[in-house]
Amino acid sequence: METISTNRSHGGVQGVYTHASAVTNTEMTFAVYVPDREDDEKLPVLWYLSGLTCTHANVMEKGEYRRMASELGLIIICPDSSPRGQDIPDDPAYDMGQGAGFYVDATQEPWAANFQMRSYVEQELPALIADEIPAADMQRQGIFGHSMGGHGALTIALRNPDRFKSVSAFAPIVAPSEVPWGKKALGRYLGEKKSAWRIYDACALIEDGARVPEILVDQGAADNFLDQQLKPHLLQEACDQAGIGLTLNMRKGHDHSYFTISTFMDDHLRWHAARLG
Amino acid sequence: METISTNRSHGGVQGVYTHASAVTNTEMTFAVYVPDREDDEKLPVLWYLSGLTCTHANVMEKGEYRRMASELGLIIICPDSSPRGQDIPDDPAYDMGQGAGFYVDATQEPWAANFQMRSYVEQELPALIADEIPAADMQRQGIFGHSMGGHGALTIALRNPDRFKSVSAFAPIVAPSEVPWGKKALGRYLGEKKSAWRIYDACALIEDGARVPEILVDQGAADNFLDQQLKPHLLQEACDQAGIGLTLNMRKGHDHSYFTISTFMDDHLRWHAARLG
């Protein structure tokens, strides 16, 4: 792990790091915020997964999480949303390829060699954090994210309920199998056999028996992507059927941007802190 | 005034606007944040002037001012730091030309036709705001800024003590006549006659009799520009001699970045709100 930058902020240190990933076969960059702490104190770890087009930097610059993370004593980890590089497969569209990893392990060409974001976020990066960030208490992890990253957070939490004690999302893609962004990406990363998509679809995972105790979602009511891509009512229906406690806040006048995320960031950090102890 | 974007955030609306400036002879872009308010309620106006290389967007994205501005009921206005455009004079250096207007009215070629940032920030933009933002109470204005924009805030407040009821700065250039950034910019915008620089130098203005009752400055102790460009002790000496109450906070471990500005943003907003009523 190599340090790109560290900056003192809000009673902690915001770091940016790179490492050679064995699962994506690229250099991967990520951000870690560590609040000041007593010697040897361990702090809970909260993963933030970003949306389409974003790197680690978008939420680091615009998410406004440091003040409250410091107050609550939460480590915040922000991975990139895909492998990147000149020699890495890409697509001219913003919703496919670099910046659009969808937190899946691709099985199709040309993506399979690098686009292994499920394994990266679920396995490789947590192992690195456990080794390199002594403050990180890997027994207390939560996960959240935005849009495509909300999809990532929900599906990773649903597949790993023992590891993640808390999950929330801003404007998540809740049923990628049913919406244009998801159909395109899952089809091309995983092939057209829809049965292979279900472990990457929050609503399908719940239908198939995956469970978390509760979920917090904040969704802008003025979000341009609400009706076509996000469809939070599908998550509401799946949670109702499964007995999962979903807190779904529809936020009047709010759109899909970081202006919305930053507004409700404090609420989400408090949600996670209350469950991570 | 034309609207570029509006986004709901933290109980208010963040807008970005452009207009044709008659003093810079360019389109100028600026950001205005207006908290929700009662009908016809007027709110104090706080000007934020940005540093070298910045547009209106840097503080809008990284400054973390909206939550507290909304809580305190402050309108925040963020102008650009210079005129911009393909046909506008520029310099390859980051500290001269576009992105480096230094809040002066240039008298030298090729700058004089466009680089009139003093008149723009002191006269033209306030008149536009008074016309176009009905919530703005122009009887209650404060001003702050960062680095070159801290220099702008200090000098504008010192020249207009009746208009600005509060002033503060993050890591300001306090004595541009004495430091490399300032000598270069003032020399090229104003000519080599140093007497013409004094109205654009906070310490010289104070020496020459300009007064404000008090100033708040937050300065990172780990700021790379501290010793060569910023020299806050010069402002301390000038204020001590003049009987101006300077609160100068040296912040251990903090650098020149928005990671520092955002950390102390709440303190500055409270400082201004307390003085703007």
Side-chain angles (χ1 to χ4, degrees):
Chain A
M1 184 170 104
E2 190 183 326
T3 302
I4 301 292
S5 61
T6 59
N7 297 86
R8 184 145 189 84
S9 191
H10 285 291
V13 175
Q14 178 65 65
V16 178
Y17 309 93
T18 60
H19 69 121
S21 166
V23 302
T24 69
N25 292 303
T26 62
E27 283 286 316
M28 292 293 290
T29 301
F30 60 96
V32 180
Y33 180 68
V34 181
D36 294 348
R37 65 194 205 288
E38 304 295 313
D39 290 349
D40 302 328
E41 189 186 3
K42 293 272 197 177
L43 300 178
V45 171
L46 180 56
W47 295 83
Y48 178 91
L49 302 185
S50 289
L52 287 167
T53 77
C54 292
T55 69
H56 69 284
N58 299 66
V59 70
M60 182 178 82
E61 296 176 349
K62 303 179 185 176
E64 304 187 10
Y65 59 74
R66 280 175 290 275
R67 184 185 54 83
M68 185 55 69
S70 186
E71 185 175 323
L72 298 170
L74 294 173
I75 291 173
I76 311 290
I77 304 181
C78 309
D80 203 344
S81 66
S82 80
R84 294 177 192 271
Q86 274 203 308
D87 302 330
I88 304 303
D90 199 6
D91 186 288
Y94 76 97
D95 56 359
M96 190 67 211
Q98 296 186 30
F102 269 86
Y103 307 100
V104 305
D105 284 348
T107 57
Q108 306 298 301
E109 297 313 316
W111 312 106
N114 309 103
F115 284 72
Q116 300 292 315
M117 288 301 291
R118 174 194 178 165
S119 292
Y120 178 69
V121 170
E122 278 188 6
Q123 306 299 334
E124 190 185 38
L125 190 54
L128 185 74
I129 296 295
D131 281 351
E132 298 271 10
I133 309 284
D137 181 354
M138 304 307 275
Q139 302 307 309
R140 291 186 290 163
Q141 294 184 61
I143 190 164
F144 70 150
H146 173 233
S147 195
M148 177 185 74
H151 144 74
L154 292 172
T155 54
I156 290 171
L158 284 160
R159 289 195 306 265
N160 299 277
D162 295 338
R163 189 185 324 166
F164 295 100
K165 299 197 191 320
S166 56
V167 57
S168 75
F170 305 102
I173 304 169
V174 303
S177 312
E178 311 298 330
V179 304
W181 276 340
K183 287 181 194 173
K184 175 179 175 181
L186 299 185
R188 291 173 66 184
Y189 290 133
L190 304 173
E192 293 303 329
K193 217 175 104 190
K194 281 200 165 189
S195 58
W197 300 6
R198 295 186 70 81
I199 56 169
Y200 297 115
D201 181 309
C203 288
L205 278 164
I206 294 170
E207 277 175 37
D208 292 348
R211 292 293 180 270
V212 293
E214 47 186 350
I215 300 170
L216 169 65
V217 170
D218 276 86
Q219 171 62 59
D223 186 325
N224 284 337
F225 302 111
L226 179 58
D227 294 335
Q228 206 190 0
Q229 306 281 9
L230 304 177
K231 297 183 185 291
H233 64 280
L234 296 179
L235 183 64
Q236 184 75 70
E237 288 162 21
C239 286
D240 286 350
Q241 284 231 319
I244 294 173
L246 173 66
T247 302
L248 172 59
N249 299 313
M250 295 301 295
R251 299 297 189 175
K252 192 179 165 188
H254 276 279
D255 62 22
H256 200 62
S257 72
Y258 271 93
F259 292 109
T260 293
I261 297 172
S262 60
T263 301
F264 302 106
M265 180 59 75
D266 283 5
D267 296 345
H268 283 244
L269 296 182
R270 284 197 198 93
W271 166 277
H272 288 276
R275 285 152 185 83
L276 295 172
Chain B
M1 184 169 105
E2 191 184 324
T3 301
I4 301 292
S5 61
T6 58
N7 298 86
R8 184 146 189 83
S9 192
H10 285 292
V13 175
Q14 178 66 64
V16 178
Y17 309 93
T18 60
H19 68 122
S21 166
V23 303
T24 69
N25 292 304
T26 62
E27 284 285 319
M28 292 292 289
T29 302
F30 60 96
V32 181
Y33 180 69
V34 181
D36 294 347
R37 66 194 206 289
E38 304 296 313
D39 291 348
D40 302 328
E41 188 187 3
K42 294 272 197 177
L43 301 177
V45 171
L46 180 57
W47 296 83
Y48 179 91
L49 303 185
S50 289
L52 287 167
T53 77
C54 291
T55 70
H56 69 283
N58 299 66
V59 70
M60 182 178 82
E61 296 176 349
K62 303 180 186 176
E64 304 187 10
Y65 57 74
R66 281 176 289 276
R67 185 184 54 82
M68 184 56 68
S70 187
E71 185 176 323
L72 298 170
L74 294 172
I75 291 173
I76 311 290
I77 303 180
C78 310
D80 203 345
S81 65
S82 80
R84 294 175 194 271
Q86 273 204 307
D87 301 331
I88 304 304
D90 200 7
D91 186 289
Y94 75 99
D95 56 0
M96 189 68 210
Q98 298 186 32
F102 269 85
Y103 307 99
V104 304
D105 283 348
T107 57
Q108 306 297 302
E109 297 313 317
W111 312 105
N114 308 105
F115 284 73
Q116 300 291 316
M117 288 301 291
R118 173 192 179 168
S119 293
Y120 179 70
V121 171
E122 278 188 5
Q123 307 298 336
E124 189 185 39
L125 191 53
L128 185 74
I129 296 295
D131 281 350
E132 298 271 10
I133 309 284
D137 182 354
M138 304 307 276
Q139 303 307 310
R140 291 185 289 165
Q141 294 183 61
I143 191 164
F144 69 150
H146 173 233
S147 194
M148 176 184 76
H151 144 75
L154 292 172
T155 53
I156 290 172
L158 284 161
R159 289 195 306 265
N160 300 277
D162 295 338
R163 191 189 319 169
F164 295 99
K165 299 196 191 319
S166 56
V167 57
S168 75
F170 305 102
I173 304 170
V174 303
S177 311
E178 311 298 329
V179 304
W181 276 341
K183 287 183 195 174
K184 175 178 175 180
L186 299 184
R188 292 174 65 184
Y189 289 133
L190 305 174
E192 292 304 328
K193 215 173 104 188
K194 281 201 166 190
S195 57
W197 299 7
R198 295 186 70 81
I199 57 168
Y200 297 115
D201 180 310
C203 288
L205 278 163
I206 294 171
E207 276 175 38
D208 293 347
R211 292 292 179 269
V212 291
E214 45 185 353
I215 300 170
L216 170 65
V217 169
D218 277 86
Q219 172 62 59
D223 185 326
N224 285 336
F225 301 111
L226 178 58
D227 294 334
Q228 206 190 358
Q229 305 280 9
L230 304 176
K231 298 182 184 290
H233 64 279
L234 296 179
L235 183 64
Q236 184 74 71
E237 288 162 21
C239 287
D240 287 350
Q241 284 231 319
I244 294 173
L246 172 66
T247 302
L248 171 59
N249 300 312
M250 296 300 296
R251 299 298 189 174
K252 191 179 165 189
H254 275 279
D255 61 22
H256 200 64
S257 72
Y258 273 92
F259 292 108
T260 293
I261 297 171
S262 60
T263 301
F264 302 105
M265 179 59 74
D266 282 5
D267 296 346
H268 283 244
L269 296 182
R270 284 197 198 93
W271 166 277
H272 288 276
R275 285 153 184 82
L276 295 172

